[in-house]
Amino acid sequence: MKNENTHTGKFTVAGTNIEEVKQLNAHSGLTYNEIKALIQKEYENKQ
């Protein structure tokens, strides 16, 4: 992640671009809880 303040958007006190983090998180895949739910569904379908 770039630590430059040349981008527009909201930044934390430490200089993190909040919008960039949100965008990266959106493309990161399933969350821990989503994976747990998927595994539970697969387990229930096997029984």
Side-chain angles (χ1 to χ4, degrees):
M1 198 173 350
K2 296 178 182 176
N3 195 11
E4 301 172 359
N5 288 340
T6 57
H7 301 290
T8 59
K10 295 181 180 179
F11 290 87
T12 64
V13 176
T16 304
N17 183 336
I18 296 170
E19 296 304 318
E20 183 179 7
V21 171
K22 287 181 181 180
Q23 181 182 12
L24 292 171
N25 287 344
H27 298 297
S28 66
L30 297 174
T31 66
Y32 176 77
N33 287 333
E34 290 170 333
I35 292 171
K36 281 186 4 182
L38 182 63
I39 292 170
Q40 181 65 33
K41 284 180 185 178
E42 289 180 8
Y43 177 76
E44 290 171 355
N45 287 339
K46 287 183 180 182
Q47 292 184 351

